[in-house]
Amino acid sequence: MTDPVPLTERLQKLGLPFTVLSAVFVADTLHATLLTPALLYPIAVLVTVDIDDPAVPRLIAAVGSALTVIGRFVPRPEALPTIDLANRVMSVVALWATAALVLHMSRFQRKLRKGEAIAEQAQVLRVQTQQRLELSLHELHDMKFALDQSCIVSITDVTGAITYVNERFCDVSGYARDELLGQNHRMINSGLHTPDFFATLWNVVSHGGIWRGEVRNRSKYNTFWWADTTIVPVLEADGTPKQYVAIRSNITARKDVEERLRDQASLAKLGAMASVIAHEVRNPLAGVSGAMQVLRSRMAAESEEWMIIGDVLERVDQLNASLSDLLIYARPQPLHKAPTNLRQLLDDVVDASAADPRFAGVAITAEGSNSMCTVDANLVRGAVFNLALNAAQALKGRGRIRLIKECNGHNCTIRVQDDGPGIDKAVLERMFEPFFTTKSRGTGLGLSIVKRVVEQHGGEIRVECPATGGTVVHLVFPL
Ligand SMILES: Nc1ncnc2c1ncn2[C@@H]1O[C@H](COP(=O)(O)OP(=O)(O)OP(=O)(O)O)[C@@H](O)[C@H]1O
Ligand SMILES: [Mg+2]
């Protein structure tokens, strides 16, 4: 629909066509030739072609037709009535044909203008959409930047294969991006959580739910890091997940503090108990041992009584050793760290074991280059000796123990490796519990003490039973 054209504007537009009409009418009244000037009236219609008003060409054609008819009755000399009549009929026909042509052209022009307006509008819309898209992308980029700065982010596909990791994920896990992409998320599994734990997690996210929890992960350098984790599934239009976004924050420090506080609370209780034992049991035990030795010295050597007292003395020594372990465990000593040659430390353990009857029949060797690591040498030496003793006890007087030292840019590892029977799964799960032992004369504190010494150094202990047999205990000390 076109807007109605105001009357004044219409009159202005009529100026030129009417001038033409008037000129042709004057010429028509003056001349009478073979071609009458009335044939020129269509020019008046033609000049309306630019006037965007369909009424105008029709009006001019109507007025032109009327003037053509009027012109017929104006008396002129030498007029040939028949030719003049034919000319006028032609003029009227030409007038209305021209009007039809002009109307058609006007319509075509209008359509053209409409098309141009639509194209212009489309262009404006395109520019606006582009601007909005750029704005959204910019905002998205800002949000991603903020997320990457504050969180550890990874994305996996529905099979659990890693498709994206941010810089912080690489930093905390120790892996380069290339080492992670395409791998299954299981590669950072620390082995702490049960299969049920992960089954519940997958059950929640695979049904479109958001899972939150605290997860312990393993780094490339075999250290653990705890993460407060939120896993958000990204859903397809039909509601099925197409990928999972995991947003984590590192809570390792908090977890360490929590664990230390827990340990300290139970140690405080144990410490109080140990003090009582030390006073009430150890001192009388020393008296008993002394008295027994005096009695024994008065007996005939190799007599039955002499042998029995010898047995009692051995048990008293064992009890004393157990009490010493308990006191060491219950009252942790502060570390006295100093640069230590770990290879030398392993050699010391080999020398000490050579002089110890509990290592009889066992071949023990030290391996690795000389290199320095800042540790409490006495405590670490005691820990390695403890592990070597466990290995010797497992070997039952036959086999080989290797003490191996390896360092990389991040940490130093001491491996105590034996070719004994290995360790049952049930024992593996409990062996670090204080007082857990499978030996008739063990206190079950050996590994607990070793673990604490390593953790006091900020390191960690791991036990492996390779398929090829035997046991390997890793002590990892950060550099
Ligand atoms: N190298 C090993 N091979 C096989 N079993 C081992 C080995 N090291 C440790 N174990 C198992 O782990 C258990 C716990 O060891 P841990 O050193 O804490 O206590 P223990 O040796 O039994 O007693 P303690 O060291 O206090 O005298 C052992 O009883 C043993 O069953
Ligand atoms: Mg032991």
Side-chain angles (χ1 to χ4, degrees):
M1 283 270 289
T2 49
D3 292 337
V5 186
L7 185 65
T8 46
E9 206 178 302
R10 282 187 183 204
L11 290 177
Q12 270 175 12
K13 288 175 184 171
L14 292 175
L16 180 61
F18 270 103
T19 309
V20 175
L21 284 176
S22 312
V24 174
F25 183 71
V26 172
D28 191 24
T29 53
L30 295 179
H31 296 276
T33 57
L34 269 180
L35 287 176
T36 158
L39 282 169
L40 297 175
Y41 280 126
I43 293 172
V45 179
L46 265 182
V47 297
T48 65
V49 74
D50 279 334
I51 302 171
D52 188 17
D53 185 347
V56 173
R58 288 194 189 104
L59 175 70
I60 299 300
V63 175
S65 304
L67 291 176
T68 308
V69 175
I70 294 167
R72 173 83 180 99
F73 299 103
V74 176
R76 262 171 307 247
E78 299 143 28
L80 295 169
T82 325
I83 293 175
D84 186 59
L85 183 63
N87 275 336
R88 281 173 201 285
V89 171
M90 261 166 32
S91 167
V92 171
V93 171
L95 267 169
W96 288 104
T98 312
L101 185 72
V102 167
L103 281 172
H104 184 74
M105 279 172 67
S106 300
R107 260 199 305 276
F108 182 70
Q109 270 179 339
R110 264 201 303 281
K111 274 189 194 158
L112 213 62
R113 276 199 295 275
K114 212 167 155 185
E116 278 168 3
I118 290 171
E120 216 167 282
Q121 252 176 359
Q123 178 64 15
V124 170
L125 266 174
R126 205 174 303 132
V127 171
Q128 281 175 349
T129 314
Q130 181 72 21
Q131 280 169 347
R132 256 182 245 141
L133 195 71
E134 274 168 19
L135 201 70
S136 305
L137 280 175
H138 198 73
E139 281 171 2
L140 206 65
H141 179 267
D142 287 350
M143 276 159 70
K144 185 177 169 297
F145 179 76
L147 196 69
D148 282 345
Q149 292 310 302
S150 56
C151 297
I152 302 159
V153 184
S154 68
I155 300 177
T156 59
D157 64 15
V158 278
T159 66
I162 300 171
T163 56
Y164 170 82
V165 285
N166 71 351
E167 210 56 46
R168 284 173 67 91
F169 191 103
C170 296
D171 289 348
V172 73
S173 69
Y175 290 101
R177 187 164 281 123
D178 289 351
E179 293 177 287
L180 291 162
L181 294 182
Q183 298 296 322
N184 193 286
H185 226 277
R186 274 193 294 271
M187 80 182 285
I188 61 163
N189 186 344
S190 67
L192 173 76
H193 307 285
T194 59
D196 277 358
F197 176 88
F198 289 110
T200 313
L201 183 162
W202 278 110
N203 189 32
V204 171
V205 294
S206 61
H207 287 89
I210 295 172
W211 185 89
R212 288 188 187 85
E214 294 181 349
V215 184
R216 193 181 79 169
N217 304 295
R218 184 193 296 280
S219 82
K220 183 179 179 180
Y221 307 109
N222 277 326
T223 51
F224 296 121
W225 54 282
W226 276 92
D228 184 47
T229 307
T230 303
I231 302 178
V232 185
V234 179
L235 306 177
E236 299 273 16
D238 65 358
T240 54
K242 64 173 169 188
Q243 56 183 15
Y244 302 107
V245 182
I247 302 159
R248 304 175 175 85
S249 54
N250 194 342
I251 54 165
T252 311
R254 194 194 88 203
K255 282 289 192 185
D256 283 352
V257 171
E258 279 175 10
E259 196 183 330
R260 228 172 294 144
L261 284 176
R262 259 198 316 273
D263 285 355
Q264 274 168 9
S266 47
L267 270 182
K269 283 186 200 147
L270 203 63
M273 194 180 85
S275 301
V276 174
I277 293 173
H279 187 259
E280 302 292 329
V281 181
R282 217 180 188 194
N283 295 346
L285 214 56
V288 170
S289 172
M292 288 290 178
Q293 275 167 24
V294 172
L295 278 178
R296 198 179 187 222
S297 65
R298 290 179 190 165
M299 290 172 184
E302 307 295 330
S303 67
E304 196 180 336
E305 291 80 4
W306 189 89
M307 303 275 273
I308 292 171
I309 299 278
D311 223 27
V312 172
L313 275 174
E314 198 185 309
R315 297 282 171 96
V316 168
D317 282 349
Q318 225 164 45
L319 196 57
N320 223 355
S322 297
L323 282 176
S324 298
D325 274 357
L326 184 61
L327 287 173
I328 293 172
Y329 181 71
R331 294 188 198 148
Q333 300 300 307
L335 293 184
H336 298 292
K337 287 209 234 176
T340 305
N341 183 340
L342 287 185
R343 171 58 206 264
Q344 180 59 51
L345 185 143
L346 297 189
D347 287 337
D348 292 348
V349 174
V350 171
D351 292 345
S353 57
D356 192 317
R358 290 172 294 184
F359 286 82
V362 172
I364 177 162
T365 54
E367 297 167 37
S369 56
N370 290 307
S371 60
M372 306 302 281
C373 184
T374 302
V375 293
D376 184 320
N378 282 332
L379 289 181
V380 174
R381 195 181 299 109
V384 178
F385 186 83
N386 226 320
L387 296 177
L389 185 60
N390 274 350
Q393 287 166 340
L395 290 170
K396 294 198 172 80
R398 226 169 104 143
R400 181 167 178 220
I401 301 172
R402 292 169 70 194
L403 309 179
I404 304 162
K405 189 228 80 181
E406 274 167 4
C407 291
N408 59 31
H410 299 270
N411 46 43
C412 270
T413 303
I414 294 174
R415 289 206 319 263
V416 179
Q417 200 168 323
D418 67 57
D419 51 6
I423 306 175
D424 286 352
K425 194 167 178 285
V427 175
L428 263 179
E429 277 167 11
R430 299 194 54 200
M431 63 196 294
F432 287 104
E433 284 177 19
F435 308 109
F436 174 81
T437 180
T438 56
K439 299 166 193 167
S440 56
R441 289 184 185 176
T443 54
L445 283 175
L447 285 178
S448 305
I449 293 171
V450 174
K451 182 169 185 268
R452 216 199 24 242
V453 167
V454 179
E455 286 174 355
Q456 271 181 301
H457 284 82
E460 61 168 16
I461 182 168
R462 251 180 326 112
V463 181
E464 266 173 23
C465 292
T468 46
T471 303
V472 189
V473 184
H474 303 250
L475 304 183
V476 185
F477 296 96
L479 284 178

